[in-house]
């Protein structure tokens, strides 16, 4: 088994590198395969696939969905057909709801005295909260995008707007209809009862769990691997690479050469 990375973001969501650049970098550092998993869009996947074919790099087409749950939860769709009607419908609806949310958030920020509009928010693909935060930095209202989140856009802050997302089971169904597998992303980031959240995701039909992820503690991983074994889940590894927006999360940084990762490696490499 060679190193791989099944969780990355390009400039089509909140990363800073193009899909082709991610594929080339993955090849350069010796990864066997890399997945492009932008938030609620698969627009960058075809570019990545073409580059992968050109340079001889295995690319796994993917997407990362925000899901409706008590706390923030994300589910990766890996090995998807980006042209599947169910997937196309889901990402279009997600984009529509995200646009509405963004406009409400901008209005809240304006009500707080900030001269900002959607024209100030720059993105090649989807406009996310990160892009709004970057606009606040450019206009001098905050020093960093982290400060923008902490002061204004996190839950309980004055410009927070709750996202409207599909429930777990419906998200998993969309991924399955697109021919992919549903993997719970970064359970270590769950703010609350992680065990309860994972069991909810399992009840919703997930196929795997991202147990190898930057910042996961040994104790957390014991829980994830135990539940994966108990419920027959695939175990995955991903860096959540965002380029310059998250420089510590380098491609492949979460990978470990352990037996539990062999099944998902074989699924996409064989």
């Amino acid at each position: 088994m060679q190193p791989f990375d099944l969780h990355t973001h390009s400039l089509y969501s909140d990363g800073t590198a193009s899909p082709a650049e991610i594929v080339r970098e993955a090849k350069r550092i010796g990864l066997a395969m890399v997945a492009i998993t932008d938030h609620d869009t698969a627009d960058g996947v075809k570019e990545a696939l073409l580059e992968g074919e050109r340079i001889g790099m295995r690319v796994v087409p993917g997407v990362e969905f925000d899901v409706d749950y008590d706390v923030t939860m994300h589910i990766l769709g890996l090995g998807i057909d980006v042209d599947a009607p169910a997937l196309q419908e889901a990402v279009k609806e997600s984009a529509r709801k995200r646009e509405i949310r963004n406009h409400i958030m901008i209005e809240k920020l304006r009500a707080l005295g900030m001269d900002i509009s959607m024209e100030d928010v720059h993105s090649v693909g989807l406009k996310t909260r990160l892009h709004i935060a970057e606009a606040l930095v450019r206009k001098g209202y905050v020093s960093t995008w982290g400060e923008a989140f902490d002061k204004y856009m996190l839950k309980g802050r004055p410009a927070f707007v709750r996202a409207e997302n599909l429930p777990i089971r419906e998200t998993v169904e969309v991924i399955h209809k697109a021919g992919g597998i549903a993997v719970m992303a970064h359970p270590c980031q769950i703010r609350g009862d992680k065990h309860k959240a994972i069991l909810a995701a399992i009840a919703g039909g997930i196929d795997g769990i991202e147990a190898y992820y930057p910042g996961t503690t040994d104790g957390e991983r014991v829980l994830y691997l135990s539940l994966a074994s108990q419920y027959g889940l695939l175990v995955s590894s991903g860096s959540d690479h965002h380029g310059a927006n998250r420089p510590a999360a380098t491609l492949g940084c979460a990978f470990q050469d352990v037996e539990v990762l062999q099944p998902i490696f074989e699924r996409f490499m064989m």
Side-chain angles (χ1 to χ4, degrees), residues 65 67 75-77 80 84-87 90 166-182 201 203-207:
F65 284 114
V67 298
I75 293 178
L76 300 168
I80 56 170
L87 183 78
L166 288 175
I168 297 169
R169 184 169 295 279
E170 291 182 32
T171 301
V172 171
E173 287 175 355
V174 167
I175 292 168
H176 286 169
K177 286 179 180 178
I181 62 169
I206 61 166
D207 307 293

Side-chain angles (χ1 to χ4, degrees), residues 246-262:
R246 193 174 291 170
T250 56
L251 283 174
C253 67
F255 174 81
Q256 294 184 31
D257 189 1
V258 290
E259 187 177 350
V260 291
L261 289 176
Q262 190 74 33

Side-chain angles (χ1 to χ4, degrees), residues 36-38 41-43 45 49 59-65 76-84 87-88 91 174-182 268:
I36 303 296
T37 55
D38 282 311
T41 180
D43 286 349
V45 167
L49 288 169
V59 173
V60 178
V63 65
E64 182 174 11
F65 284 114
L76 300 168
L78 299 175
I80 56 170
D81 172 5
V82 298
D83 294 321
L87 183 78
Q88 286 294 316
V91 295
V174 167
I175 292 168
H176 286 169
K177 286 179 180 178
I181 62 169
F268 293 119

Side-chain angles (χ1 to χ4, degrees), residues 149-184:
F149 275 88
D150 291 340
K151 283 188 174 180
Y152 303 113
M153 294 190 292
L154 291 178
K155 187 175 182 180
R157 305 301 193 265
F160 174 77
V161 180
R162 186 179 184 276
E164 292 185 27
N165 301 309
L166 288 175
I168 297 169
R169 184 169 295 279
E170 291 182 32
T171 301
V172 171
E173 287 175 355
V174 167
I175 292 168
H176 286 169
K177 286 179 180 178
I181 62 169
V183 174
M184 185 180 188

Side-chain angles (χ1 to χ4, degrees), residues 110-179:
R110 290 179 62 84
L112 292 168
M114 299 178 203
D115 181 18
I116 184 172
S117 68
M118 285 305 299
E119 286 68 35
D120 298 312
V121 182
H122 304 152
S123 174
V124 170
L126 288 180
K127 292 183 177 181
T128 69
R129 286 189 299 171
L130 176 61
H131 298 115
I132 295 174
E134 289 174 341
L136 293 177
V137 173
R138 285 195 303 274
K139 295 184 76 73
Y141 292 115
V142 293
S143 299
T144 66
W145 58 262
E147 182 185 351
F149 275 88
D150 291 340
K151 283 188 174 180
Y152 303 113
M153 294 190 292
L154 291 178
K155 187 175 182 180
R157 305 301 193 265
F160 174 77
V161 180
R162 186 179 184 276
E164 292 185 27
N165 301 309
L166 288 175
I168 297 169
R169 184 169 295 279
E170 291 182 32
T171 301
V172 171
E173 287 175 355
V174 167
I175 292 168
H176 286 169
K177 286 179 180 178

Side-chain angles (χ1 to χ4, degrees), residues 198-199 202 207-209 211 221-236 260 263:
I198 296 168
L199 290 177
I202 291 169
D207 307 293
I209 186 167
R221 188 172 292 113
V222 167
L223 170 63
Y224 309 153
L225 295 180
S226 174
L227 290 170
S229 177
Q230 183 178 351
Y231 290 96
L233 302 178
L234 289 165
V235 176
S236 189
V260 291

